[in-house]
Amino acid sequence: MVQNHHHRGGGSYYKGSSSSTAIFFSKKPSFLSITLYIILLFAFSIFIFLVKTSINILDVDNGTDGQRTVFTEHSQSQSQSQSQSELESLEIPDEQLWDPPFSYGLHPCVKPTSKYRAAQGSDRYITVKSNGGLNQMRTGIADMVAVAHIMNATLVVPQLDKRSFWKDSSTFSDMFDEVHFIKTLQGDLRIAKELPKELESVPRARKHFTSWSGVGYYEEMTQLFKEYQVIHVAKSDSRLANNDLPLDIQRLRCRALYYALRFSPPIESLGEKLVERLRSRGGRYIALHLRYEKDMLSFTGCTYGLTDAESKELTIMRENTNHWKVKKINSTEQRIGGYCPLTPKEVGIFLQALGYPPSTIIYIAAGEIYGGNTHLSELMYRFPNLVFKETLATKEELKAFANHASQTAALDYLISVESDVFIPSHSGNMARAVEGHRRFLGHRKTITPDRRGLVELFDKLKSGKLREGPSFSQRVQQMHENWQGGPRKRKGPLPGIKGRARFRTEESFYENPYPECICSSKAA
């Protein structure tokens, strides 16, 4: 009875509250009631959806900055985490950083062939005035050894340049082991310390031999000995062709440069000590030929990263140096073309991108850096273990070398040749000579920066199109995969250049004496 009462009361309650809803609970709902019920349910669902959406929109609008901040922080955290893991996965193995490239069993080969004959030259002489800096003189003297052999003449020990930019008063015996030079080449030609007294006052044929000349040219020049007993050569650099010379002449050049032209005992001794001291600091080191001296920047017209006052000073220097023929230079075009030395800051970015750690010991093989610490600081920030000859040697040891730029350059040369890795910031005479010597000694690791390609990357860093990190490092490393000093044949002239101008575009013989002076075991 009670249940019936509640049921009826419940029924009368719904009935009394709304007549329309009562229809929905009737035992026999009509088609109309079902339709209305569905419509109302659908409308209510839409209403709820709209309300919730508007609330979300309001929340997003009111909280955009906050959400962006959270998103940015999350993204940065995620990016840093990702970069760190990428860096770890891209960590360069020690052997890749330091080991020399695979040399395929190649080794030095300088022995003459069975057809080779020594020059006699007892009654005719060639005197030489070497020109340029240390390595320009060294390669020039090696050329003159070969020229004297071709012309069957006695070579008088060359005079060194005392009037170049460096104004070094060093004599041949100050720079080189004169006795060793003469003795080492005695099977190739006769070398005299000086002209015989009876010939000192006789007329001489003064000759500027044509650059990059071949054997035929010098055979013709022997006609001068019909009228003169002495030929004086006013310039020694680049007097021989790089290519298309007899094998025995090319090997004689190598014997002269790599064996006969040994530095004087004081230079060799101190150089050896400095290498040992570098090794004691950490075992391995990079020799960085940082061509950022005043004369180099002025000569090339490269002023990127310098102040207006510094740029003006370099321009005045170039205009006042008579033997520098080009006076007006567009610095921007020079840099884009890859003709400028890398700045210390750029070198730091480059070395870091290659994978060298900040603890790396770097010997600076250079003269006085223009601007001093002002420009060096950005390299030192990345690589604090920079070493200079002034900090490696004692003042007493360097005293004998004071005011002798060629002798201190010889120390840099020795330390660079013996380094684990040699990196030149510009392709000058020393860079080419050191690279060639290292190739000759077994293709020691020499990383030559692709300056043109690097400038594009550096400019993108500066504009924000790129940023330093794993991706940037990969691009730099891939760019230099085949620039490590590995075995390859010497490059010929650039295509499309005709006449004698093509010789200027060839790779120097002394930069890469392969294949004439570097052989496989079979061809030794």
Side-chain angles (χ1 to χ4, degrees):
M1 292 293 296
V2 174
Q3 287 178 354
N4 288 340
H5 169 75
H6 276 285
H7 174 76
R8 285 194 299 268
S12 61
Y13 167 80
Y14 286 107
K15 185 178 179 181
S17 61
S18 172
S19 60
S20 60
T21 51
I23 299 171
F24 303 151
F25 291 94
S26 58
K27 290 182 180 178
K28 294 181 181 179
S30 66
F31 175 77
L32 178 62
S33 65
I34 291 171
T35 304
L36 284 171
Y37 177 74
I38 292 170
I39 291 171
L40 279 171
L41 230 116
F42 181 69
F44 181 73
S45 300
I46 291 174
F47 172 74
I48 294 297
F49 172 77
L50 290 173
V51 169
K52 288 199 75 174
T53 303
S54 65
I55 290 169
N56 285 340
I57 291 169
L58 283 170
D59 286 344
V60 170
D61 288 341
N62 292 333
T64 298
D65 292 339
Q67 285 186 347
R68 279 181 184 164
T69 304
V70 172
F71 175 76
T72 304
E73 289 174 354
H74 175 68
S75 298
Q76 286 177 343
S77 174
Q78 194 175 28
S79 176
Q80 287 172 357
S81 173
Q82 187 177 354
S83 295
Q84 186 62 34
S85 65
E86 285 179 5
L87 276 169
E88 288 171 1
S89 65
L90 289 172
E91 191 175 339
I92 311 298
D94 268 9
E95 56 269 22
Q96 190 174 326
L97 290 174
W98 299 102
D99 285 2
F102 187 65
S103 62
Y104 300 94
L106 297 172
H107 58 83
C109 52
V110 296
K111 289 182 180 179
T113 67
S114 58
K115 297 178 182 179
Y116 183 74
R117 296 289 179 270
Q120 301 303 316
S122 56
D123 60 345
R124 46 192 190 182
Y125 293 82
I126 292 177
T127 61
V128 177
K129 194 164 189 180
S130 302
N131 62 294
L134 170 67
N135 291 288
Q136 202 170 344
M137 289 192 291
R138 287 178 69 249
T139 56
I141 292 168
D143 275 1
M144 287 299 105
V145 166
V147 167
H149 181 275
I150 294 168
M151 296 181 70
N152 198 27
T154 296
L155 176 68
V156 178
V157 169
Q159 295 177 316
L160 302 189
D161 192 339
K162 296 177 175 63
R163 296 187 300 173
S164 67
F165 174 83
W166 297 271
K167 295 179 180 177
D168 190 332
S169 61
S170 300
T171 63
F172 188 93
S173 58
D174 292 328
M175 284 298 311
F176 305 105
D177 188 334
E178 187 175 87
V179 173
H180 176 80
F181 176 69
I182 295 171
K183 187 177 180 181
T184 302
L185 295 171
Q186 65 185 3
D188 300 291
L189 75 163
R190 183 167 171 260
I191 300 176
K193 287 190 176 183
E194 53 191 21
L195 271 176
K197 289 188 182 291
E198 64 270 20
L199 295 179
E200 286 179 355
S201 57
V202 301
R204 305 180 190 183
R206 298 185 179 274
K207 187 68 180 174
H208 278 78
F209 287 143
T210 303
S211 301
W212 300 297
S213 294
V215 170
Y217 171 84
Y218 287 107
E219 287 175 343
E220 286 180 17
M221 289 297 106
T222 58
Q223 299 298 317
L224 292 169
F225 284 125
K226 291 181 178 180
E227 296 182 41
Y228 301 93
Q229 204 171 344
V230 180
I231 297 174
H232 178 69
V233 182
K235 277 190 172 185
S236 60
D237 68 315
S238 305
R239 298 302 112 178
L240 266 179
N242 293 307
N243 303 299
D244 302 321
L245 292 178
L247 178 62
D248 277 323
I249 295 300
Q250 297 288 56
R251 289 189 174 181
L252 174 57
R253 295 168 90 180
C254 289
R255 289 198 297 278
L257 187 65
Y258 302 130
Y259 295 141
L261 272 176
R262 187 168 71 189
F263 291 116
S264 64
I267 295 173
E268 290 279 343
S269 175
L270 183 55
E272 189 176 339
K273 286 179 185 176
L274 298 185
V275 170
E276 287 175 0
R277 287 173 197 171
L278 275 168
R279 296 271 180 231
S280 68
R281 293 190 177 199
R284 298 177 295 203
Y285 69 93
I286 292 173
L288 172 62
H289 186 42
L290 188 60
R291 285 300 268 131
Y292 210 70
E293 300 102 334
K294 187 177 182 179
D295 65 299
M296 170 55 71
L297 296 176
S298 178
F299 177 74
T300 56
C302 297
T303 58
Y304 177 79
L306 300 180
T307 64
D308 291 341
E310 287 172 329
S311 300
K312 187 176 180 181
E313 182 183 29
L314 296 178
T315 301
I316 292 170
M317 179 183 177
R318 184 168 61 254
E319 290 172 348
N320 292 338
T321 306
N322 294 329
H323 60 278
W324 291 352
K325 296 178 182 179
V326 181
K327 302 298 181 183
K328 291 185 179 180
I329 300 175
N330 186 313
S331 178
T332 303
E333 289 180 1
Q334 282 282 92
R335 184 170 175 272
I336 292 172
Y339 303 116
C340 287
L342 298 180
T343 68
K345 178 182 179 180
E346 290 171 338
V347 170
I349 296 171
F350 174 59
L351 290 176
Q352 203 166 57
L354 288 177
Y356 289 98
S359 59
T360 302
I361 295 171
I362 301 174
Y363 176 79
I364 303 296
E368 185 180 352
I369 302 301
Y370 188 56
N373 287 336
T374 303
H375 296 304
L376 270 175
S377 58
E378 289 177 293
L379 171 59
M380 200 172 290
Y381 173 76
R382 294 171 186 264
F383 294 92
N385 290 327
L386 299 186
V387 183
F388 302 83
K389 67 179 76 66
E390 293 79 10
T391 57
L392 198 58
T394 66
K395 288 183 179 180
E396 190 64 29
E397 287 172 329
L398 291 177
K399 191 176 179 180
F401 299 89
N403 302 316
H404 295 293
S406 292
Q407 293 186 45
T408 55
L411 293 174
D412 284 341
Y413 183 91
L414 290 171
I415 295 169
S416 297
V417 168
E418 293 301 320
S419 65
D420 297 275
V421 180
F422 175 66
I423 301 177
S425 67
H426 191 261
S427 56
N429 290 312
M430 175 162 165
R432 289 192 288 269
V434 171
E435 179 177 354
H437 202 161
R438 289 171 67 84
R439 286 180 180 278
F440 180 76
L441 292 172
H443 293 91
R444 296 175 179 178
K445 196 180 191 76
T446 300
I447 304 175
T448 305
D450 178 358
R451 294 188 304 277
R452 188 171 182 174
L454 284 172
V455 163
E456 289 183 23
L457 295 183
F458 293 150
D459 286 346
K460 286 180 180 179
L461 280 180
K462 188 175 180 181
S463 66
K465 292 179 181 177
L466 283 177
R467 65 186 182 92
E468 290 186 65
S471 177
F472 177 78
S473 294
Q474 272 191 322
R475 293 179 71 164
V476 172
Q477 289 164 20
Q478 287 170 0
M479 186 184 289
H480 293 87
E481 277 179 349
N482 298 317
W483 296 57
Q484 310 273 327
R488 61 169 176 78
K489 289 187 177 180
R490 195 165 54 254
K491 296 174 185 175
L494 293 175
I497 299 177
K498 297 180 180 179
R500 295 197 61 79
R502 73 186 187 278
F503 297 130
R504 191 176 292 275
T505 68
E506 292 177 337
E507 186 174 24
S508 166
F509 172 76
Y510 297 111
E511 185 176 359
N512 184 9
Y514 179 70
E516 298 94 337
C517 298
I518 302 172
C519 311
S520 64
S521 297
K522 293 178 181 178

